[in-house]
């Protein structure tokens, strides 16, 4: 072997090893989200089949509210952790994780108390679900914080095991909830089993969440935190406004129909969300090691998710009605009519996540926030405008168009951010 050949092979080996490492971390992200989504899917199917369309609509309202609170926690706690403490020395990661998880726990406790009070005041069919949501929010947010912390450390296997623990704890909890036969019981079962996993995460990491240092964490990362907070809440808040508006315009059962259609995309959403757990960390690594490859990385990431969504939607169109009724019960008849627009919307969202990961890795919080504000405005306008014009189906098509337009905004902002970084490669602020 010549000297040149030896050098070529030596150079190629690190490249292959790096690609294998990236593939391994992405695989754990997919496995973890699959485990998490199975738990969420099981709860949704249980409620849809056991309690009917209206009760499923009530559960869906509680679900989207949880999504808003979750995104508050991620914006101020775990998103800065992922951006600034991915691949750092263990000592730095442990100190940051203690403060970030404590911040998540504090957010869950504070907003959980608000949800509890609101639920008790509202009463009726909806109130008990929100009261129970308030009780379980601290455990839900702490469990999610452990997942993000493990992926920041490149230990996706631990996040996967944690979600498996949640799924195992959920099985007996669902049986108990089925005997009670109420939405509130299912919310407690879902959140209570998450609290078991949250305690196990404490055991896995050997890190005690330090809620008393939440204020210090918020001060240290306010430059990213408050922008990501607004961005995340705008995102999930748009979904909440659409759900509440759809319920007011068409009826609570319409919210259940839309949620049923989204459940049909559940396996693919597991892929999309699983990748989202690791894409920011991976994009940050690409930026540090080979910044010229960041744009291509984001394009492959977003394009791959869009194509996968379209393929999954095509399979759903071939699903026999008998199988759909077995899965969703009475919800199937309405949900099956929304497969095409919901699939197109998810494909548009998947395409945009590639650009979003790039903006986060660059620390371009202003551009990221600008993109999310535009996308959320499109989403609310499309969802509610469509509901007024064409009911549940019109809302689904309006959202699909909005998500595709929003994806275009994300990519335009990423292109500008990459150009700025190329000319002024300064540390992100």
């Amino acid at each position: 072997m010549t000297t040149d050949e030896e050098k070529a092979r030596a150079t190629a080996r690190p490249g292959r090893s790096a690609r294998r490492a990236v593939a391994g971390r992405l695989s754990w992200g997919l496995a973890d989200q699959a485990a998490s989504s199975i738990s969420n899917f099981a709860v949704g199917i249980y409620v849809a089949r056991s309690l009917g369309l209206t009760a499923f609509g009530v559960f869906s309202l509680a679900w989207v509210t949880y999504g808003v609170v979750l995104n508050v926690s991620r914006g101020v706690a775990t998103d800065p952790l992922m951006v600034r403490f991915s691949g750092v020395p263990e000592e730095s990661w442990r100190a940051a994780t203690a403060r970030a998880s404590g911040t998540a726990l504090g957010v869950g406790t504070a907003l959980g108390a608000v949800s509890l009070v609101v639920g008790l005041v509202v009463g009726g069919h909806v109130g008990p679900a929100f009261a129970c949501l308030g009780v379980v929010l601290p455990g839900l947010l702490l469990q999610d914080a452990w997942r993000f912390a493990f992926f920041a450390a490149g230990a996706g296997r631990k996040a996967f095991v944690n979600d498996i623990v949640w799924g195992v704890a959920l099985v007996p909890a669902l049986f108990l909830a089925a005997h009670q036969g109420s939405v509130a019981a299912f919310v407690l079962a879902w959140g209570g089993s998450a609290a078991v996993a949250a305690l196990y995460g404490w055991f896995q990491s050997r890190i005690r969440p330090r809620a008393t240092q939440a204020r210090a964490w918020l001060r240290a990362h306010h430059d990213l935190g408050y922008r990501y907070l607004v961005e995340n809440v705008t995102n999930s808040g748009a979904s909440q406004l659409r759900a509440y508006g759809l319920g007011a315009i068409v009826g609570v059962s319409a919210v259940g129909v839309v949620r049923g259609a989204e459940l049909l995309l559940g396996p693919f959403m597991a892929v999309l969300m699983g990748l989202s757990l690791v894409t920011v960390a991976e994009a940050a690594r690409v930026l540090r090691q080979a910044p010229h490859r960041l744009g291509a990385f984001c394009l492959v990431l977003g394009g791959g998710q869009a194509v996968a969504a379209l393929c999954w939607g095509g399979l759903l169109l071939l699903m026999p009605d008998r199988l759909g009724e077995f899965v969703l019960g009475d919800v199937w008849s309405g949900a099956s009519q929304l497969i095409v627009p919901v699939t197109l919307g998810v494909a548009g969202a998947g395409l945009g996540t590639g650009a979003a990961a790039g903006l986060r890795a660059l620390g371009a919080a202003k551009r990221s926030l600008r993109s999310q504000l535009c996308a959320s405005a499109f989403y609310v306008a499309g969802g509610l405008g469509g509901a007024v014009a064409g009911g549940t189906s019109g809302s689904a098509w309006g959202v699909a168009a909005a998500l595709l337009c929003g994806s275009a905004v994300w990519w335009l902002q990423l292109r500008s951010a990459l150009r700025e970084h190329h000319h002024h490669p300064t540390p992100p602020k």
Side-chain angles (χ1 to χ4, degrees):
M1 183 184 297
T2 66
T3 303
D4 290 341
E5 289 174 341
E6 291 175 348
K7 290 181 178 179
R9 292 193 179 187
T11 302
R13 278 195 295 270
R16 287 196 295 269
S17 299
R19 286 193 292 271
R20 283 196 296 268
V22 171
R25 288 191 291 267
L26 292 176
S27 297
W28 279 119
L30 293 175
D32 169 72
Q33 189 57 45
S36 176
S37 294
I38 287 172
S39 301
N40 296 335
F41 184 77
V43 174
I45 294 300
Y46 239 87
V47 176
R49 289 180 55 83
S50 302
L51 303 181
L53 188 56
T54 301
F56 187 56
V58 173
F59 180 82
S60 299
L61 291 176
W63 183 276
V64 296
T65 303
Y66 156 71
V68 175
V69 177
L70 179 65
N71 279 301
V72 170
S73 175
R74 288 178 176 178
V76 299
T78 52
D79 281 342
L81 177 71
M82 289 286 280
V83 170
R84 288 181 169 161
F85 295 92
S86 292
V88 300
E90 183 178 359
E91 184 178 352
S92 298
W93 171 80
R94 291 182 66 85
T97 297
R99 290 182 290 163
S101 60
T103 302
L105 187 60
V107 170
T109 302
L111 297 184
V114 174
S115 181
L116 175 61
V117 171
V118 169
L120 294 176
V121 171
V122 171
H125 295 293
V126 177
F130 279 82
C132 292
L133 177 65
V135 172
V136 300
L137 273 176
L140 283 165
L141 298 192
L142 181 57
Q143 192 274 339
D144 186 74
W146 291 132
R147 295 171 67 206
F148 274 71
F150 291 143
F151 278 110
R157 180 181 59 83
K158 290 186 176 181
F160 172 73
V161 171
N162 192 273
D163 271 321
I164 291 295
V165 170
W166 184 2
V168 171
L170 183 61
V171 173
L174 285 180
F175 279 115
L176 293 175
H179 284 296
Q180 293 294 323
S182 67
V183 176
F186 280 105
V187 172
L188 287 176
W190 163 60
S193 54
V196 173
L199 290 174
Y200 183 66
W202 190 350
F203 171 79
Q204 286 177 293
S205 64
R206 306 289 183 178
I207 297 174
R208 182 167 62 88
R210 297 186 178 276
T212 56
Q213 294 188 14
R215 184 175 297 179
W217 174 264
L218 294 175
R219 281 199 304 266
H221 305 285
H222 72 279
D223 56 327
L224 294 181
Y226 86 88
R227 290 193 178 102
Y228 289 157
L229 170 63
V230 176
E231 179 182 328
N232 289 355
V233 172
T234 301
N235 180 25
S236 55
S239 298
Q240 189 175 27
L241 286 175
R242 188 258 185 127
Y244 288 171
L246 184 61
I249 295 168
V250 184
V252 175
S253 60
V255 182
V257 170
V258 170
R259 176 60 184 158
E262 292 172 348
L263 275 177
L264 294 174
L265 272 292
F268 172 74
M269 293 300 292
V271 175
L272 191 154
M273 296 176 67
L275 288 174
S276 70
L277 287 172
V278 292
T279 50
V280 175
E282 291 304 323
R285 289 185 177 94
V286 171
L287 181 63
R288 293 190 186 101
Q289 298 169 6
H292 61 284
R293 296 180 181 174
L294 181 61
F297 173 83
C298 295
L299 183 60
V300 170
L301 177 66
Q305 291 180 84
V307 171
L310 294 174
C311 291
W312 183 258
L315 292 176
L316 290 177
L317 291 174
L318 301 176
M319 180 184 292
D321 287 338
R322 184 175 299 178
L323 178 58
E325 291 170 356
F326 174 77
V327 174
L328 291 180
D330 295 338
V331 179
W332 165 255
S333 60
S336 62
Q337 304 300 315
L338 306 182
I339 290 175
V340 173
V342 169
T343 298
L344 291 175
V346 172
L351 183 62
T353 57
L359 287 173
R360 291 262 171 124
L362 288 165
K366 289 183 179 180
R367 290 191 176 277
S368 183
L369 176 59
R370 190 180 306 152
S371 301
Q372 187 57 63
L373 289 174
C374 290
S376 296
F378 293 157
Y379 185 94
V380 174
L384 298 186
V388 172
T392 307
S393 177
S395 180
W397 280 105
V399 165
L403 289 171
L404 290 169
C405 292
S407 178
V409 173
W410 280 104
W411 278 101
L412 289 172
Q413 291 295 323
L414 177 62
R415 186 179 66 173
S416 299
L418 287 172
R419 188 181 299 117
E420 290 175 358
H421 183 78
H422 176 72
H423 293 297
H424 306 285
T426 55
K429 294 183 179 181

